[in-house]
Every structure is written in structure tokens, then in C-alpha cells.
Amino acid sequence: MPRSGQIVQLTVLALLGLGTVVVYSAGMTVGSGRSGLAGLMQHRHGVYAILAVVAMLFTSRVNVRQFLKTRRVVNPLSGLVVLALALVALALVPGMGRSVNGASRWLYLGPKSWGLSFQPSEVVKWVMVLAIACWCTRRRGVMHRITDGLLPPLILLAVACGLIVLEDLGTAALIGLVGVCTLIAGGARLRHLAMACPAAVAMVVWAIARNPYRVQRLTAFLNPWADPLGSGYHPIQSMVTIAQGGLTGRGLGNGIQKFGYLPEDTTDFIFAIICEELGTAGAVLVIGLYLILLWVGLSIIRDCKDTFGRLLGLGVLLTVGLQALINLAVVTVVVPTKGIALPLLSAGGTGWILTAAALGLVASLDQSEDARDEPTPTFPTQPTRRWLGRWSGRWTGRWTGRWAGIPWRLPAKPTTISLRTD
Amino acid sequence: MHDDAPQPHLRLVTEKDLVTEAPPQSCDDSPVPRGVVLRPGNTEDGARRVLWVGSGLIGLISLLMVALLGRVILLQTQPSTPIASRIGSQHGTRPILARRGNLLDRRGRVLATSRVVKRLFADPGLIEEPGTFVERVGHELDYDPAWLARKIDRRPHSRYVALDTRLSDDRIERVKHFRLRGLGTQDHAVRDYPQGSLAGQLIGFVGADGLGLEGLERVYDRDLIGRDGELRYLRDSGRRVLWVEQSAYATPSDGDAIRLSIDATLQHFAETELAAACNEFDAESGQMVMIDPQTGQVLAMANHPVFDPNLFRDSNAALRRNRCVTDTFEPGSTLKPMVWAAATQAGTAGIDEVIDCTESGFFVTEGGRRLRDAHGLGKLTWAGVLARSSNIGMAIIGQRMGAARLHQTVRAFGLGTTTASGLPGEVAGTVHPLHKWNHYSVTSVPMGQEVAVTPLQLAVAFGVIANGGELIRPSVIAAPATPYSPVLGRVLTEQTAELTKRVLRTAVSDPHGTGRRANSPLYEIFGKTGTAQVANPDGGGYLEDQYISSFVAGAPLERPAVVVVCVIHRPDKSIGHYGGAVAAPAVRRVIEKSLVYLGVPTLAAPDAIPAGSLVARE
């Protein structure tokens, strides 16, 4: 019986393999015998898949708790957060990013002629998971409080979502949702988060109303047949593609809808192509692989004793699971169209590599030694140095006190007392 | 409790567990003494919360995913109607034209055949710039741009304007490499009649939709039409053809070829001689039918004026009629042999009985009808009555036979019913029912009045005499699908038929016989002339100076191979109008040429054949 971490890695491998095959199948075009760099670019998916596997193998050997243990400049987390947000902001600058379908979500990697680009929001997605897991673990004693527990990560989340929502409502919603769930798991009070709810709803409504195409997507979702060749075209074609496969499917590579009928066939709507070519078996396979990923991941979390590991694992699993769920719901026209990829299946180098790497981290939780929580480093609620006012304890203590690695108080000699606990 | 050994329900509390400060509003309400806070981390509360929240969320996600899987299965097994209607809509189909079967003559020569040609068409709805369109098409494919523009302008809102219905090979080659929006080619089958107007009315023609509209093309449409195949191909969203679906390929099956009993050569002989006769006598029209009296096979069926099925669009409907079966005429004297034979067989008149046909040529019947012969013939034997074609003699015997027997005789020879040849538009002719006969009828019918026949009916009736007494069913198909006996019944005894044949031979061989102009040095021809007046279409009586000259003959005398009927309508009386003068020479020439062609031994040695007699008159 392979270990849970190995099962997770094998599942990722299976999804990536299926993804590569289906992406090549869906990307099939007639008479595109291109040469040179453009021709090489046709084979990039295989390279991405290999890179994704390498990334997963690498991260599965990383000790994630280093993020928790290292502090100050050595800890790359705060830097990563800043960098990721900066990249998102950079993609928004006209002329810097690559626009696809009117959304500038991509940043060029190298000269534009290479055609290499990546999605900074993908990076943000994972960095946020890491950051929130880290914060909740360090502050798990005070997560039930607003000001010093919940508010800082919530603000960070709001900033990240606010930057991303300008171009990509789907990813922003996903990041927000995962963030909030992780915060709840990390100890935040539901009623505190409920207070932030109106703000989040307002943000979503504003984002929808701001872009006319989002309103169009909404109406197209509500009644695709009103305009079957215009706004309703995409949902209709998606349903037709799924229905066309029937129970048995048309056979791998034999799909028809990929020949220009179904837009975004290699990316967001790859699941429809899988359903068309592999039939119900394909749908069962994909959803089954995700369920394996989720439940085996959960068993890793269960066996993992420390809060940070659990939170990080849960964040990653929630991201993958929710993203898959939203994508499947979009493709089956249960929710309005959003630009959300199917993790590990939809074509996209950034997505494949980072998702595989993140799931590699989950696998690493299983491989690493059982790490129990260190005793919680708390800081006194009674500030000792009053000269900085009420902030002194919180902020100076953070950098100078035990938080920065210096023991706040010398460990006292353990006094042994027996206590009846029942 | 009393010793130092830790109890199982007790646990070691280190100093770290004990915090003296007030609890930070923790929700922990574990039963610990006030002032002692159990930190969540140490009791693994935080980690447990992560697990519980995570299990709940992942369980929820899993449930929703399974629900979506259900939605997928629902879509795949029971798609809603608008979606189901779109499944497979990415396909296009293209028919593979099946070849219509050929029509062949009895020797396999092609009378009608099909081929696929390309049609050039324009879709004005797709033409971006009409001016440059016609300019470019005209330049590339060598058409007159102005002519193209006119064609397109005539129907500017149509989606299909045929520019050229039969693209030449040269243009097909050029159009292959010439793509222009709004211009397209389409395959379609066309029918060719390589023999031109030969047997045009008999063959008929095929309409633009590939269905036979007239003639044999229409009668045998079901056999001739093939089953079109179908090509199912996949298109991408840009309507480009990707590939052909192997599984949905329906092979076309070509139509069956039909071999007719017509012999193109004999048909040609008949047509040329008929045309020659019609032209010589300035006749309005003419028909000639040649059948094999033994089998009923129609060897030739000629109409004049001719009709070319290749040009059916420019012809009028009257011309397209196969008047050998669709139109009737009063046979006149050509009916006399049948009545004569019946009367002879019945013993109504003996062959050597002398009948007074009057010297004056005038005779008033008992009913008070005035009859007239062409010449005063005096006393004739019963055989002579037929050979000299005496109306008076036939009328006398007709009266003797009585109406019932006469009527039965005429019907027995197949008159008044169709010949069941299966030719389209065939009519039954007219034989009035007995109760409509008046006292004139017994004198009129024996000389071929009051009845109307088609040329084919006459040929079949004459065939009874030629083949030894059997009524046969004519056929235009060389090899009928189900073998059947052409014999419908016996009308005359062989002796009577033989006798009649020999008497008819004298009508041709006798220098005074009416058919003397049909006498041939090559073959023993027996036959009967007929000169009928044209019945007034407005009712009663006959038109002045309007005649139908006919001649019906068989040859050779022993075992006749052919029976030929020639009917010429309204010859110019100033040139000639007697059947013996107008139709008989044409029949003779046709019989001579046909029998030579068929390899029937001639009477004289070949070098005795008069020069030029076998050459068609131009």
C-alpha cells in the first residue's frame, strides 16, 4: 500500500497525463504545419507537464515548516506576497501584460516574440494560502480576535482580491473563498467574517456591473437560448459538447466540437472535450481523480499533527477542489461562465506547474517527520514597555521579543504538579 | 493518588501550560481551575478545528462534484431537445450521384446515357462586389462579363444562379484553381441521347431533376433510376471539410440498363424512309411501326416529324407524342384482311365465290347506303375482293356476317383494347360497342370505317395473319424481366392465315393489285393498302381531300420476319393520296433493307439486286 503522499503524487501524475493528452487532442487543428519557434510552441504542453512533475517532486521533498520557523528576512513569505501582488499590478499596466479576450491577466516571460507568458494571479493564489496558513498558526492563540487576529490577513486578502478582480472575477472569488475558509479553519470566528460579508458582496456586485461582458454572461447563463449565436453560444456549445459524447464517448481524439465549435476548448472548457471524447467514463475518471486527491489529502491532514501543516494542506486542497468544482459547474452550465481553469487539466503552464508544486507540498506533509506543534509562542497581553503606548507590546514585541526568536522569558524550571483533569 | 506514579487519567502539566494572566476571552470552557488556561495549541484544539472544518468543506465539495457528475450523465443520456437537435449538426452531407441506367437497342447500342457534369453557379448573396465579380469570373473562365452580369441581375435576391449548366473540361480545370466568394460548382447528372432524334418520341426524355418525363424514360423510371449514395463529412466551424465519415458512407447504386427491342439500324431505315415519303408527298405527319410478328418485339417505331430528346426544352408537346400508340386513325382498307380472313374461316364466303362489285363502282346497300369503289371492278372472286380492295364486295360480305360476328371479329384482332405494350399514353382506339352500331355499321366496319386504331394495333392485327393466326402482345423490351409468352390467343387457324397471306401476296404481286408498288424483286412481300378520309373532328362526315394513306405489309411470305405499318397523314392530293402510291413504296424499301440487314435470304442472287435500292434516298 503506497503512502498517502505517494497516492497524491500519482493522482497528480494521472491528471497531468490525462490533461496533456486531452489538451493535445483538443488543440488539434487542420493544416497548421507551422515551423520554427511557433512549431515548437505546439509541443509546449508536454514540456509544461514535465516541468510540473519536476516541481512536484521538488516540493514534495521540501520541509514546509521552514516557512514557519524562519523569521525576518530569511523568511521569503512576506517578500513573496509583495512580489506576487506587484506582478498582478504590473499585468494591469497597459502595454505590460498580454491580453486574451480583453482581459490582461498575463505577463510576458522574456521577449514577446517567444510567446511565453504567465498568470501572476496563479502565483497570488498559492502565496495567499501559504501566508494565511502561516499567520493562523503563529497567531492561533488570538485568531478569535479581530484586530490582531483576523483583520491583518483579511486586509491582505481584500487587497489581493481587489487587484485581481479588476481583470479576473473568477480567480478573485476563488482566492477569497479559499482564504475565508482557511481563516475559519485557522480559528477565526464566523460572526467576525460575517461582518466582512457585505463588503465582499458589494465588491462582487461592483465587479460584475463594471464589465458589461459579465452582465452578458449572467444573462446568457439565465437563458442561453435567447441569443444562441451570440452570448448564449458558449454555454450551448458546452452542453452540446458534453451531450455529444453520450455514455460511450466518441473516442479519444475523435471529438468534433474542438474544430472551432467550442471556444476555449483546450483551457477552461477542456472538461467538455473530455466528456465528448471519453463519454461518461471520462467524466467519472476526472471527478474520481479529484475526489481521490481531496480525500487522500484529507487523510494526510489528519495524520499531520501540526496546525501549520494542516492549514497549508487544507488551503491547497480547498483551492484545487473549489477551482475544480467551479470549473465543472461552469462547463455544465450550472453557474455563469467564468475564466477558471480545471486544475491540472486545462492547458496552462503556470497553472500546471504551480498546482503540481502545491500538491507536492501536501505530499511533503506526509513524508516529513511527525511534527507536533511547538508550544505556542504567545506574547503577553499586558505590555511590559508602556512607553510606546498600547502599540508597544504588539509591534515592538513582534520584532524584538520572542516573536523574533528571542525567548521572551527564560524558560523556567518545570515544576511538576499533578492535576486532576477529570 | 498517594504514590508518585502518574495516574492514567492524570497528565503532566508543565509550567508552560500555566499562564497566570487572564484567559484571552477564549471560548475554551474546559473544566480547569480559574487562572489556568490550557492553550489551544498544546491541547491540539487548533489542529483539530482545521481537521473538522476541512472535513466538512471537502465533504461538501465532494457532494457537489458528484452532483455535477450526475448533471453530466443526465446531459449525456437525456439531452434536452434543443441540445439534442444540435448533436451531429457539425456534419454535412453530399449526395454521390447514381448513374441513371442506359437505354440500349437490342444489339446493345446506346440510345440514352447519363453522365455527370459540373454546373457553375453564383450565390448573389455572397458576392461582395458584383462589378469585380463578373469581371474576374469572365476573365478567369472566359465568359462575357456583361452576359454574366445580366444573368445575375435577373435574380439578384436568389441564392443560386446557374451560370453554366455544363462546364467544359477546360473550364473545370481552371475553376479548380480559382476561388472566389459567391462562386461555386455543383455536380449534376445530364442525360445524353447519342443517336439524336432516333426514336426520340419512343425514348422520351428526362427532366432536370433526373426523373423521366415522357416515353420509355418515364415508363421504366423506377428501373433506370439508381439509388444515390451519400457522403457524410465533418466540417469545422468555418464550414471547411475536415474528413469523410467512413461509417456513414452510402455507396451509390447505379440504375439498371434497359435493352429495348428496337434495333437502331432498323429504326434508322424506318425513319429515313418515312421522312422521305412524307417529304415527297408533302404530308403533315407519318408513323411507321415494324414488329416481329412471331415474338411481338417492336423493331422500329418511327414518327415524322422527328423529335430530338437532347433538345426537349425547345420542342412542343405535340411533337413529343409517340403517335404510333397515342393517336388513332380510321384504318380504311387496311382492316379488310382481318374481316376477310374471319369471314373466310367462318365460311361466310368461299374463296372462289364470285361477288358482283358492279361495273359502275356504285352500289346501294339494303339499308340505302351508297358505296363507291375507286374503279368499277365488276365481278370478283372473294379473293379478288381483297386483292383489289373492293369496298362493295366487303360490304356485301359484311352484311352477310352480321353485326355481332363482325364486332367479335374486330375485337378478336385486338382492336378496341390497348396492346399492353406498356408504352406511355397508349390508347385503346375506338370500336363502338355493339349496341351503338347502326345499320350502316355492318357495311362501314368491313372497309375500315367507324373504327379507329393506332398504328401499333394495326401492326399487331396484321401480325395475326403473318404469324399463322395468333394474336401477340407487342413489347419494346428485348428481354422482359419475367419470361412470358407473347401469344395472347389464337384468332385464325393456320390454314386461314396462310390463305389470307397468299391472297395478300397477290395484292402486291398482281400488276393490278393495289399494293403493286410494294412488289420487290428481293422478297415476297404481302400487304394491304389503305386510303381513308380524315374524319371531321367537328363531328359527322369526312373532310374533303384530306386522306390518310397507309400500307401494312409483311415479308417474307414463308415465315414472315417483319410486319411493317406505314401511315401517312394528309399527303398532298395533287401528288398522290392512295396508300398504294404514298405508303407502299416506302414500306417496300424499308422491308428490303431490313431483311437484308437481318440476313434473310433474298429471292434473287445478290448481284441481281438493283443498284441503289438499298441506299436510303436522300
Side-chain angles (χ1 to χ4, degrees), chain B residues 5-44:
Chain B
Q7 301 297 309
H9 56 279
L10 296 175
R11 92 184 163 79
L12 198 67
V13 177
T14 60
E15 197 264 344
K16 282 180 190 166
D17 287 341
L18 300 171
V19 176
T20 47
E21 290 92 10
Q25 296 163 351
S26 167
C27 59
D28 283 329
D29 45 6
S30 37
V32 287
R34 192 168 170 75
V36 177
V37 178
L38 293 177
R39 298 231 175 75
N42 282 6
T43 54
E44 294 181 0

Side-chain angles (χ1 to χ4, degrees), chain B residues 534-541 543 570:
Chain B
V534 176
N536 188 346
D538 302 327
L543 295 173
R570 305 189 192 199

Side-chain angles (χ1 to χ4, degrees), chain A residues 13-86:
Chain A
L13 216 56
L15 281 168
L16 274 175
L18 181 66
T20 313
V21 171
V22 180
V23 163
Y24 274 119
S25 167
M28 192 190 291
T29 50
V30 175
S32 61
R34 288 183 291 183
S35 56
L37 198 61
L40 278 176
M41 286 301 285
Q42 286 185 326
H43 303 289
R44 67 187 185 278
H45 303 300
V47 177
Y48 288 154
I50 292 167
L51 284 179
V53 173
V54 169
M56 177 182 71
L57 291 176
F58 173 74
T59 53
S60 65
R61 279 154 180 76
V62 160
N63 184 6
V64 276
R65 285 151 190 111
Q66 288 304 317
F67 280 111
L68 195 66
K69 285 177 179 161
T70 54
R71 300 181 196 284
R72 300 185 72 173
V73 279
V74 191
N75 192 335
L77 194 53
S78 44
L80 267 178
V81 170
V82 172
L83 181 71
L85 291 180

Side-chain angles (χ1 to χ4, degrees), chain B residues 251-367:
Chain B
T251 321
S253 74
D254 289 347
D256 300 327
I258 290 181
R259 193 159 68 90
L260 303 179
S261 62
I262 301 291
D263 189 305
T265 306
L266 300 182
Q267 178 76 24
H268 175 72
F269 291 158
E271 285 190 5
T272 48
E273 291 302 339
L274 179 66
C278 286
N279 292 336
E280 184 179 347
F281 294 96
D282 200 14
E284 174 206 73
S285 63
Q287 294 93 41
M288 193 182 278
V289 175
M290 185 193 294
I291 66 168
D292 179 340
Q294 314 294 339
T295 59
Q297 300 253 294
V298 178
L299 301 175
M301 192 173 260
N303 285 276
H304 184 85
V306 294
F307 157 68
D308 187 346
N310 289 310
L311 311 167
F312 75 90
R313 280 187 184 80
D314 306 324
S315 65
N316 61 33
L319 200 61
R320 301 197 291 243
R321 249 186 10 243
N322 181 11
R323 294 177 65 180
C324 293
V325 293
T326 61
D327 284 18
T328 59
F329 67 104
E330 279 200 350
S333 302
T334 44
L335 192 66
K336 286 174 182 168
M338 296 74 178
V339 178
W340 191 95
T344 307
Q345 177 164 312
T348 312
I351 181 147
D352 297 323
E353 185 182 338
V354 177
I355 294 161
D356 184 3
C357 299
T358 73
E359 290 293 338
S360 61
F362 288 96
F363 179 74
V364 180
T365 66
E366 287 159 26

Side-chain angles (χ1 to χ4, degrees), chain A residues 30 140 144-145 181 184-189 225 228 236 239-240 242-247 250 256-257 259-261 271 275 279-280 283-284 287 290-291 294-295 298 301-302 305-307 310-311 314 317-318 321-322 324-325 328-329 332-334 372-376 378 381 409 412-417 419-422, chain B residues 1 4 6 9-16 18-22 24-27 31 33 36 39-42 44 46-51 53-55 57-66 68-69 71-73 75-77 79-80 82-84 86-91 234-243 245:
Chain A
V30 175
R140 75 181 176 280
H144 54 275
R145 294 198 305 223
C181 289
I184 292 170
R189 293 283 165 267
W225 301 103
I236 288 174
M239 287 190 280
V240 168
I242 293 173
Q244 194 149 269
L247 281 175
R250 294 185 55 89
I256 301 170
Q257 290 287 99
F259 294 112
Y261 293 101
F271 182 68
C275 286
T280 307
V284 170
I287 290 179
Y290 282 124
L291 291 183
L294 291 181
W295 288 96
L298 194 66
I301 292 174
R302 195 188 56 224
K305 294 292 184 281
D306 63 323
T307 311
R310 283 186 169 188
L311 270 177
L314 182 67
L317 290 182
L318 281 182
L322 275 175
L325 185 70
L328 295 181
T332 53
V333 199
V334 175
R372 300 186 72 89
D373 277 351
E374 288 176 41
T376 314
T378 51
T381 46
R409 209 185 287 166
K413 195 177 168 193
T415 45
T416 311
I417 339 162
L419 251 180
R420 289 187 89 89
T421 52
D422 53 337
Chain B
M1 203 67 72
D4 290 336
H9 56 279
L10 296 175
R11 92 184 163 79
L12 198 67
V13 177
T14 60
E15 197 264 344
K16 282 180 190 166
L18 300 171
V19 176
T20 47
E21 290 92 10
Q25 296 163 351
S26 167
C27 59
V36 177
R39 298 231 175 75
N42 282 6
E44 294 181 0
R48 201 176 298 150
R49 184 186 169 101
V50 174
L51 189 60
V53 172
S55 300
L57 286 172
I58 283 172
L60 188 67
I61 290 173
S62 306
L63 272 180
L64 291 174
M65 273 191 179
V66 172
L68 288 179
L69 181 64
R71 158 107 176 137
V72 168
I73 294 172
L75 267 175
Q76 286 181 331
T77 52
S80 63
I83 289 176
R86 274 156 205 263
I87 293 175
S89 62
Q90 309 89 338
H91 291 278
L234 191 68
R235 286 186 302 216
D236 69 1
S237 58
R239 316 302 280 173
R240 285 173 302 187
V241 176
L242 292 176
W243 61 72
E245 298 244 316

